[in-house]
Amino acid sequence: MSRLRLPAACLALLMTGTALPALAQTAVVTDATQAPLALPRAQPTIPAPTQAAYPGVIRYEADITDVERRIVQVRQTIPVAAAGPLTLLYPKYLPGNHADTGPIQLVAGLTVTANGQRLEWVRDTLEPYAFHLDVPAGVSEIEVAFQWLTQPDASQWRITMGQQVVNLQWEKAILYPAGYASTGITVAPSVRMPAGWGYGVALDTETYADGLATFKPVDLYTLVDSPMFAGAHHRRVDIDRAHGKVFLNIVSEDAKNLAATEAQLDYYRNLVDQTDRLFGARHYDRYEFLFALTNQIGGIGLEHHRSSENTGAPDFFTAWDKSAGSRDLLPHEFTHSWNGKHMRPADELTANYNVPTQNTLLWVYEGQTEYWGEVLSARSGLHTREESLITIAGVAGFYDNQPGRGWRSLQDTNNHNLLGYRVPGQWTSWMRGTGDYYRESLLVWLDADTLIRAETNGRKSLDDFAKGFFGRNDGVVAPEGYTFEDVVARLNAVHPHDWAAFLRERLDAVGPDAKAPLDGLERAGYRLTYVDTLTATEKKVMGGWANDFQYSLGFTLSGPSNRLSNIRWGSPAFEAGLGVGWDLVAVNEMAANAERLRDAVTASKGTDRPVTLLLKSGDRYRTVSFDYHDGLRYPRLVRIEGTPDRLGDILTARRN
């Protein structure tokens, strides 16, 4: 794709990031009479991004052949127009992470040379993602070399390199000049990979021979937005019936994992058809699904404008029934091409990767995408209607039983990543977090969709919002920022209502009386209930149902030791004083396992018999008896007889 050119209004929006103040080390004084412990040390100012184009093209080379040691070698040749100060930046605020998550801790061996001579650099002491250096007279380009030391396990960082599959993310292995927007810096990238490997990427290949791929120059924005999956086995399939512009790239360590059947591929062809019918426009010249089926690298679902970065189980296609719970991943990420990449919250439309992001509208960016991801899964056939109902029931059940709303609003969870990127914590039901602006927001958008349908007698729906808001300007790629007021205005254009109050009521609800946004379910013709036995399809979609006691005793069993995890705040387990670290040893004086615990909870239903557990934590043992008699509880949606099946209509494939 040629360089992304943004309209003037969009560029003006990009430049809203303010410049950092002049950096100086402040002297420390312990009292008014004592001399400073350290003298102030002046530092160069980090230039703020401007609309100017960086002079010249940066040549970039990544070597990903060292898969045994999991080291990416990087060399960049950066042209310079004049002698003097230069600041290089490592990306800090990563797109799709919504936070300052650039793993600069994994960068090592940084050296800068010019005309064969080493140039010394100094890291900024207040902004460690910035490196200052002075370019001598007579130098027209500098060479920058370093290693990205990717990690062998997931204890601290996601695994990106395996012996036969590698996920190259440019933003984690690049430096770029400060003072410029990402769209104003041109890069000519190349990648050396093990011989014989294939790869998927949204960049245009110029040459590929003996493991070396060179790509057409692009701006830094497009490069960072175009990750690569490379591997020993690669298959690329055209899944665009209409135009031949959308491709599914499957990468794996084993050739047998590439064997998607034609029937399975047709679901993805249907997905492309259904997005065309939903949005009515495309904002990409071509789109590459990148799908790694592997256990060698860490799981990911990350959106990009012209591709998606996803992983699945190696047997995703060959054991299709087992993948039911994860088939909505690609529909979700594909939706982001419209919502999140082309149309993007204005406070996330930053000039480059070191201007702070804000996350006030993640309930649209991620929440409405989560909604359309599930809807499109059903409309494409990736989920049957029954599977979609089970998925939505699981979401509704979780928020129906979430106590964290008592102190923290849905709106505040949009700040979660900036408070500490996806920190899991030990009391997730009380903390609230990342998943809420995805999944609880799905319920908010279902509420909005069914309200529009009900009040217009089915003449209008949220589909009309999607087409009018995300589907404008067919063929335009450049991102456009939106605000809360823009969302409200477009909803009112579909159906007049007090949408601002509607949304704020659900986003800001907090306190002991605040409830989950479940009105949309009943308006859709369904009621949330709880059952003690599951159908075969429910077991397939729910995955870990066998170890799930969240809505009965209030915890999940995990691992071979049957450790109590995800203890729900306010549950019987919580009220019994249980916290993290207890392993289940026995149930009613019998050796423990999940099946025996399920049987015990079922046997106590409607009786006065307690469920007695023997627990172990280190050298301590404890016996806890639960006076609980409501049996196992799993969420399920049931039809409300005599009401319109609006949810069924929402999940039905569009024919035109």
Side-chain angles (χ1 to χ4, degrees):
M1 187 178 81
S2 61
R3 172 182 288 184
L4 176 64
R5 299 193 180 276
L6 304 184
C10 187
L11 277 169
L13 182 61
L14 285 172
M15 301 307 157
T16 56
T18 57
L20 293 175
L23 301 176
Q25 182 172 311
T26 304
V28 179
V29 180
T30 58
D31 61 56
T33 63
Q34 185 178 354
L37 298 179
L39 295 175
R41 181 165 62 84
Q43 288 193 144
T45 299
I46 300 175
T50 68
Q51 297 187 36
Y54 187 77
V57 176
I58 297 173
R59 299 194 302 279
Y60 177 96
E61 306 167 46
D63 187 324
I64 62 172
T65 59
D66 195 352
V67 293
E68 292 293 338
R69 294 183 295 190
R70 304 175 192 261
I71 298 172
V72 176
Q73 297 281 353
V74 176
R75 183 173 297 277
Q76 298 177 235
T77 303
I78 303 176
V80 291
L86 176 66
T87 299
L88 299 177
L89 300 175
Y90 181 82
K92 181 177 183 179
Y93 292 90
L94 301 189
N97 287 193
H98 315 297
D100 51 344
T101 56
I104 197 167
Q105 301 91 331
L106 302 183
V107 170
L110 176 60
T111 59
V112 182
T113 58
N115 294 337
Q117 300 298 312
R118 180 171 177 142
L119 302 183
E120 298 304 326
W121 53 264
V122 175
R123 189 192 301 265
D124 195 287
T125 58
L126 294 180
E127 180 45 84
Y129 286 74
F131 301 86
H132 303 294
L133 55 98
D134 286 310
V135 178
V139 170
S140 60
E141 63 183 27
I142 62 172
E143 284 199 349
V144 177
F146 61 90
Q147 298 83 40
W148 173 24
L149 305 178
T150 78
Q151 300 297 283
D153 60 62
S155 60
Q156 296 294 328
W157 309 95
R158 174 177 167 263
I159 301 171
T160 56
M161 293 189 78
Q163 292 181 346
Q164 295 160 298
V165 176
V166 172
N167 179 195
L168 178 59
Q169 300 172 306
W170 311 95
E171 72 277 8
K172 294 178 181 174
I174 199 167
L175 297 178
Y176 68 95
Y180 300 87
S182 59
T183 53
I185 300 171
T186 302
V187 183
S190 64
V191 179
R192 181 168 295 281
M193 62 195 80
W197 277 27
Y199 61 89
V201 69
L203 301 175
D204 293 328
T205 301
E206 287 188 326
T207 62
Y208 179 49
D210 299 324
L212 178 63
T214 61
F215 303 100
K216 291 183 179 179
V218 292
D219 56 54
L220 179 64
Y221 175 92
T222 301
L223 179 66
V224 166
D225 200 42
S226 306
M228 171 189 284
F229 272 134
H233 302 282
H234 169 244
R235 179 187 181 191
R236 184 172 184 253
V237 184
D238 180 353
I239 56 171
D240 183 6
R241 294 185 178 107
H243 305 290
K245 299 292 186 180
V246 182
F247 302 90
L248 176 63
N249 293 266
I250 312 170
V251 179
S252 186
E253 62 266 22
D254 194 325
K256 71 180 182 182
N257 298 329
L258 311 183
T261 67
E262 279 303 306
Q264 292 165 346
L265 293 172
D266 275 342
Y267 294 134
Y268 292 97
R269 296 182 178 107
N270 295 343
L271 173 61
V272 177
D273 294 341
Q274 291 299 317
T275 55
D276 283 343
R277 291 164 190 166
L278 175 63
F279 298 113
R282 294 185 177 190
H283 303 295
Y284 52 81
D285 56 345
R286 83 170 193 272
Y287 191 94
E288 305 278 350
F289 283 102
L290 307 181
F291 199 19
L293 304 183
T294 176
N295 287 324
Q296 292 190 0
I297 64 175
I300 190 170
L302 190 60
E303 67 272 12
H304 301 280
H305 202 139
R306 302 167 61 246
S307 62
S308 68
E309 199 171 0
N310 310 291
T311 54
D315 60 359
F316 182 88
F317 289 113
T318 56
W320 185 247
D321 280 352
K322 287 171 53 180
S323 67
S326 57
R327 290 188 216 131
D328 56 353
L329 176 59
L330 270 63
H332 176 102
E333 304 305 343
F334 195 29
T335 298
H336 270 312
S337 183
W338 291 267
N339 179 19
K341 303 309 291 187
H342 173 61
M343 292 293 290
R344 188 178 313 175
D347 57 14
E348 292 199 58
L349 194 59
T350 56
N352 64 30
Y353 309 108
N354 294 73
V355 174
T357 184
Q358 298 180 65
N359 296 336
T360 58
L361 294 172
L362 284 180
W363 53 274
V364 187
Y365 181 120
E366 296 291 5
Q368 195 173 137
T369 298
E370 186 79 352
Y371 180 69
W372 290 127
E374 187 53 50
V375 169
L376 289 167
S377 295
R379 291 183 184 179
S380 65
L382 284 165
H383 275 172
T384 65
R385 180 176 298 188
E386 182 184 6
E387 289 168 344
S388 286
L389 292 177
I390 294 166
T391 299
I392 296 170
V395 174
F398 180 87
Y399 291 103
D400 187 41
N401 290 274
Q402 188 205 52
R405 193 176 290 100
W407 73 277
R408 189 177 189 188
S409 67
L410 174 58
Q411 180 64 58
D412 188 61
T413 68
N414 290 259
N415 297 311
H416 196 78
N417 285 1
L418 294 173
L419 299 173
Y421 183 60
R422 297 186 179 176
V423 176
Q426 303 299 339
W427 301 101
T428 54
S429 65
W430 184 239
M431 289 177 63
R432 305 197 65 174
T434 301
D436 292 12
Y437 60 70
Y438 283 80
R439 301 194 305 152
E440 184 172 331
S441 296
L442 176 155
L443 298 173
V444 172
W445 289 112
L446 175 63
D447 201 352
D449 197 350
T450 55
L451 187 148
I452 295 170
R453 291 168 183 268
E455 294 192 354
T456 64
N457 293 318
R459 293 189 301 274
K460 297 287 185 178
S461 71
L462 202 64
D463 288 48
D464 297 288
F465 172 87
K467 185 166 292 187
F469 197 65
F470 302 117
R472 294 173 293 164
N473 304 320
D474 184 30
V476 173
V477 176
E480 179 179 342
Y482 61 77
T483 65
F484 178 83
E485 291 73 20
D486 294 331
V487 174
V488 168
R490 178 51 58 178
L491 284 168
N492 275 310
V494 174
H495 172 61
H497 187 76
D498 190 353
W499 288 108
F502 174 95
L503 292 170
R504 293 263 55 101
E505 177 184 347
R506 289 153 179 78
L507 293 168
D508 300 333
V510 66
D513 297 326
K515 304 295 183 185
L518 300 182
D519 291 350
L521 282 176
E522 297 216 2
R523 200 182 295 115
Y526 289 79
R527 180 175 292 115
L528 176 65
T529 61
Y530 295 88
V531 297
D532 57 7
T533 57
L534 297 176
T535 67
T537 304
E538 285 173 325
K539 291 179 180 179
K540 179 177 64 176
V541 175
M542 289 183 182
W545 67 273
N547 296 315
D548 184 2
F549 301 89
Q550 277 290 308
Y551 309 138
S552 53
L553 299 180
F555 56 79
T556 302
L557 293 180
S558 59
S561 67
N562 290 315
R563 175 149 295 184
L564 274 61
S565 59
N566 299 321
I567 296 175
R568 185 165 53 85
W569 195 275
S571 68
F574 179 88
E575 295 301 328
L578 296 177
V580 175
W582 289 97
D583 295 330
L584 181 59
V585 177
V587 178
N588 292 344
E589 301 183 347
M590 298 290 290
N593 56 46
E595 182 179 9
R596 187 160 283 156
L597 180 55
R598 292 196 306 272
D599 289 343
V601 172
T602 299
S604 72
K605 183 177 181 180
T607 73
D608 59 0
R609 287 176 293 176
V611 177
T612 302
L613 308 183
L614 176 62
L615 304 166
K616 180 180 185 294
S617 178
D619 293 334
R620 298 174 58 208
Y621 285 84
R622 183 179 173 192
T623 299
V624 178
S625 290
F626 291 96
D627 188 22
Y628 172 82
H629 308 287
D630 291 333
L632 297 170
R633 299 179 80 239
Y634 303 103
R636 179 181 290 171
L637 297 183
V638 296
R639 279 283 289 127
I640 303 173
E641 293 301 325
T643 63
D645 186 0
R646 294 192 177 97
L647 185 51
D649 292 340
I650 290 168
L651 300 176
T652 298
R654 300 305 185 246
R655 300 302 177 191
N656 52 50

PDB file of all heavy atoms in Angstrom, residues 189-202:
ATOM      1  N   PRO A 189      11.387  -1.940   4.730  1.00  0.00           N
ATOM      2  CA  PRO A 189      11.680  -3.077   5.610  1.00  0.00           C
ATOM      3  C   PRO A 189      12.106  -4.336   4.856  1.00  0.00           C
ATOM      4  O   PRO A 189      11.725  -4.557   3.700  1.00  0.00           O
ATOM      5  CB  PRO A 189      10.342  -3.312   6.314  1.00  0.00           C
ATOM      6  CG  PRO A 189       9.314  -2.879   5.303  1.00  0.00           C
ATOM      7  CD  PRO A 189       9.949  -1.794   4.466  1.00  0.00           C
ATOM      8  N   SER A 190      12.884  -5.143   5.556  1.00  0.00           N
ATOM      9  CA  SER A 190      13.224  -6.477   5.057  1.00  0.00           C
ATOM     10  C   SER A 190      13.356  -7.410   6.246  1.00  0.00           C
ATOM     11  O   SER A 190      13.661  -6.977   7.355  1.00  0.00           O
ATOM     12  CB  SER A 190      14.515  -6.458   4.240  1.00  0.00           C
ATOM     13  OG  SER A 190      15.616  -6.090   5.058  1.00  0.00           O
ATOM     14  N   VAL A 191      13.137  -8.711   5.993  1.00  0.00           N
ATOM     15  CA  VAL A 191      13.196  -9.717   7.056  1.00  0.00           C
ATOM     16  C   VAL A 191      13.926 -10.945   6.533  1.00  0.00           C
ATOM     17  O   VAL A 191      13.589 -11.464   5.460  1.00  0.00           O
ATOM     18  CB  VAL A 191      11.784 -10.127   7.536  1.00  0.00           C
ATOM     19  CG1 VAL A 191      11.888 -11.184   8.630  1.00  0.00           C
ATOM     20  CG2 VAL A 191      11.005  -8.926   8.035  1.00  0.00           C
ATOM     21  N   ARG A 192      14.911 -11.393   7.297  1.00  0.00           N
ATOM     22  CA  ARG A 192      15.554 -12.669   6.994  1.00  0.00           C
ATOM     23  C   ARG A 192      14.989 -13.707   7.944  1.00  0.00           C
ATOM     24  O   ARG A 192      14.979 -13.512   9.159  1.00  0.00           O
ATOM     25  CB  ARG A 192      17.072 -12.595   7.133  1.00  0.00           C
ATOM     26  CG  ARG A 192      17.756 -13.925   6.790  1.00  0.00           C
ATOM     27  CD  ARG A 192      19.246 -13.792   6.654  1.00  0.00           C
ATOM     28  NE  ARG A 192      19.628 -12.959   5.528  1.00  0.00           N
ATOM     29  CZ  ARG A 192      19.640 -13.359   4.255  1.00  0.00           C
ATOM     30  NH1 ARG A 192      19.253 -14.610   3.946  1.00  0.00           N
ATOM     31  NH2 ARG A 192      19.998 -12.551   3.290  1.00  0.00           N
ATOM     32  N   MET A 193      14.514 -14.803   7.373  1.00  0.00           N
ATOM     33  CA  MET A 193      13.896 -15.875   8.158  1.00  0.00           C
ATOM     34  C   MET A 193      14.517 -17.205   7.756  1.00  0.00           C
ATOM     35  O   MET A 193      15.241 -17.283   6.753  1.00  0.00           O
ATOM     36  CB  MET A 193      12.375 -15.870   7.934  1.00  0.00           C
ATOM     37  CG  MET A 193      11.942 -16.135   6.512  1.00  0.00           C
ATOM     38  SD  MET A 193      10.192 -15.694   6.211  1.00  0.00           S
ATOM     39  CE  MET A 193      10.328 -13.904   5.992  1.00  0.00           C
ATOM     40  N   PRO A 194      14.273 -18.255   8.520  1.00  0.00           N
ATOM     41  CA  PRO A 194      14.832 -19.555   8.133  1.00  0.00           C
ATOM     42  C   PRO A 194      14.426 -19.942   6.712  1.00  0.00           C
ATOM     43  O   PRO A 194      13.281 -19.707   6.287  1.00  0.00           O
ATOM     44  CB  PRO A 194      14.235 -20.507   9.170  1.00  0.00           C
ATOM     45  CG  PRO A 194      14.018 -19.652  10.381  1.00  0.00           C
ATOM     46  CD  PRO A 194      13.586 -18.323   9.829  1.00  0.00           C
ATOM     47  N   ALA A 195      15.338 -20.527   5.986  1.00  0.00           N
ATOM     48  CA  ALA A 195      15.086 -20.914   4.599  1.00  0.00           C
ATOM     49  C   ALA A 195      13.900 -21.864   4.510  1.00  0.00           C
ATOM     50  O   ALA A 195      13.740 -22.758   5.337  1.00  0.00           O
ATOM     51  CB  ALA A 195      16.331 -21.571   4.007  1.00  0.00           C
ATOM     52  N   GLY A 196      13.053 -21.636   3.517  1.00  0.00           N
ATOM     53  CA  GLY A 196      11.904 -22.497   3.285  1.00  0.00           C
ATOM     54  C   GLY A 196      10.650 -22.084   4.022  1.00  0.00           C
ATOM     55  O   GLY A 196       9.582 -22.664   3.794  1.00  0.00           O
ATOM     56  N   TRP A 197      10.760 -21.106   4.889  1.00  0.00           N
ATOM     57  CA  TRP A 197       9.576 -20.671   5.626  1.00  0.00           C
ATOM     58  C   TRP A 197       8.645 -19.866   4.720  1.00  0.00           C
ATOM     59  O   TRP A 197       9.070 -19.199   3.767  1.00  0.00           O
ATOM     60  CB  TRP A 197       9.992 -19.798   6.805  1.00  0.00           C
ATOM     61  CG  TRP A 197      10.410 -20.584   8.021  1.00  0.00           C
ATOM     62  CD1 TRP A 197      10.938 -21.843   8.050  1.00  0.00           C
ATOM     63  CD2 TRP A 197      10.330 -20.142   9.379  1.00  0.00           C
ATOM     64  NE1 TRP A 197      11.203 -22.225   9.339  1.00  0.00           N
ATOM     65  CE2 TRP A 197      10.842 -21.206  10.182  1.00  0.00           C
ATOM     66  CE3 TRP A 197       9.900 -18.988  10.002  1.00  0.00           C
ATOM     67  CZ2 TRP A 197      10.913 -21.106  11.563  1.00  0.00           C
ATOM     68  CZ3 TRP A 197       9.982 -18.891  11.381  1.00  0.00           C
ATOM     69  CH2 TRP A 197      10.468 -19.946  12.160  1.00  0.00           C
ATOM     70  N   GLY A 198       7.361 -19.915   5.060  1.00  0.00           N
ATOM     71  CA  GLY A 198       6.381 -19.048   4.443  1.00  0.00           C
ATOM     72  C   GLY A 198       5.953 -17.992   5.439  1.00  0.00           C
ATOM     73  O   GLY A 198       6.275 -18.060   6.628  1.00  0.00           O
ATOM     74  N   TYR A 199       5.204 -17.006   4.975  1.00  0.00           N
ATOM     75  CA  TYR A 199       4.801 -15.936   5.872  1.00  0.00           C
ATOM     76  C   TYR A 199       3.525 -15.260   5.370  1.00  0.00           C
ATOM     77  O   TYR A 199       3.186 -15.308   4.185  1.00  0.00           O
ATOM     78  CB  TYR A 199       5.919 -14.886   6.010  1.00  0.00           C
ATOM     79  CG  TYR A 199       6.297 -14.202   4.718  1.00  0.00           C
ATOM     80  CD1 TYR A 199       5.646 -13.035   4.304  1.00  0.00           C
ATOM     81  CD2 TYR A 199       7.301 -14.714   3.904  1.00  0.00           C
ATOM     82  CE1 TYR A 199       5.988 -12.409   3.120  1.00  0.00           C
ATOM     83  CE2 TYR A 199       7.659 -14.102   2.723  1.00  0.00           C
ATOM     84  CZ  TYR A 199       6.998 -12.936   2.327  1.00  0.00           C
ATOM     85  OH  TYR A 199       7.334 -12.336   1.148  1.00  0.00           O
ATOM     86  N   GLY A 200       2.849 -14.636   6.293  1.00  0.00           N
ATOM     87  CA  GLY A 200       1.701 -13.802   5.980  1.00  0.00           C
ATOM     88  C   GLY A 200       1.933 -12.414   6.532  1.00  0.00           C
ATOM     89  O   GLY A 200       2.391 -12.253   7.663  1.00  0.00           O
ATOM     90  N   VAL A 201       1.629 -11.395   5.733  1.00  0.00           N
ATOM     91  CA  VAL A 201       1.807 -10.008   6.145  1.00  0.00           C
ATOM     92  C   VAL A 201       1.009  -9.134   5.179  1.00  0.00           C
ATOM     93  O   VAL A 201       0.796  -9.512   4.023  1.00  0.00           O
ATOM     94  CB  VAL A 201       3.308  -9.618   6.141  1.00  0.00           C
ATOM     95  CG1 VAL A 201       3.859  -9.559   4.722  1.00  0.00           C
ATOM     96  CG2 VAL A 201       3.552  -8.323   6.888  1.00  0.00           C
ATOM     97  N   ALA A 202       0.573  -7.964   5.644  1.00  0.00           N
ATOM     98  CA  ALA A 202      -0.203  -7.065   4.793  1.00  0.00           C
ATOM     99  C   ALA A 202       0.681  -6.127   3.984  1.00  0.00           C
ATOM    100  O   ALA A 202       0.169  -5.292   3.246  1.00  0.00           O
ATOM    101  CB  ALA A 202      -1.187  -6.257   5.640  1.00  0.00           C
TER     102      ALA A 202
END
